[in-house]
Structure formats: C-alpha cells, structure tokens
Amino acid sequence: MFNRLLEAIRRHKSLDQLIVSVRVYREGLERLVNLRYSYIIDNPDLAKLIVDNAFSADKIVQQPLPEIK
C-alpha cells in the first residue's frame, strides 16, 4: 500500500484527497471503516503516517458493536 501511495504521489506531484477502506475484525464480525484524508499529501513522510494510521484502524474503532438479536 505504501509503495502504491508513493507512486501516486510521484505521478501526480501531490494528492489532495485520499479515501482508504479498511476491514476491521472485532468480536467475530467484519466491519468496513472508511478513512478520509482531505489535505495535501505530497511527501513520503506524510504517506507513511497515513499508511500507519490506516493499519491501526482497529484501534480507531472503539465503539462496541451493536447487539444482534
């Protein structure tokens, strides 16, 4: 993912919006989390921060899952 993001930055010089969809598995269920980054992404350090953030999505989702009846 990081290499693909760097390639997109090299090709376009910068990205001004990025949406990353991440599957998070909790309590035996799968949850899709969409992370939206809406600022200029123009260097490898920022790209690394975004990738690290996306891979920690299971920590972002702190809400308990709804009870299924």
Side-chain angles (χ1 to χ4, degrees), residues 24-54:
V24 176
Y25 298 94
R26 290 190 60 214
E27 301 171 20
L29 297 175
E30 179 181 303
R31 187 183 242 187
L32 185 63
V33 178
N34 292 314
L35 304 171
R36 180 181 298 257
Y37 303 94
S38 57
Y39 45 83
I40 295 176
I41 305 161
D42 61 356
N43 66 66
D45 293 332
L46 191 51
K48 173 116 174 67
L49 187 66
I50 289 170
V51 170
D52 290 345
N53 182 267

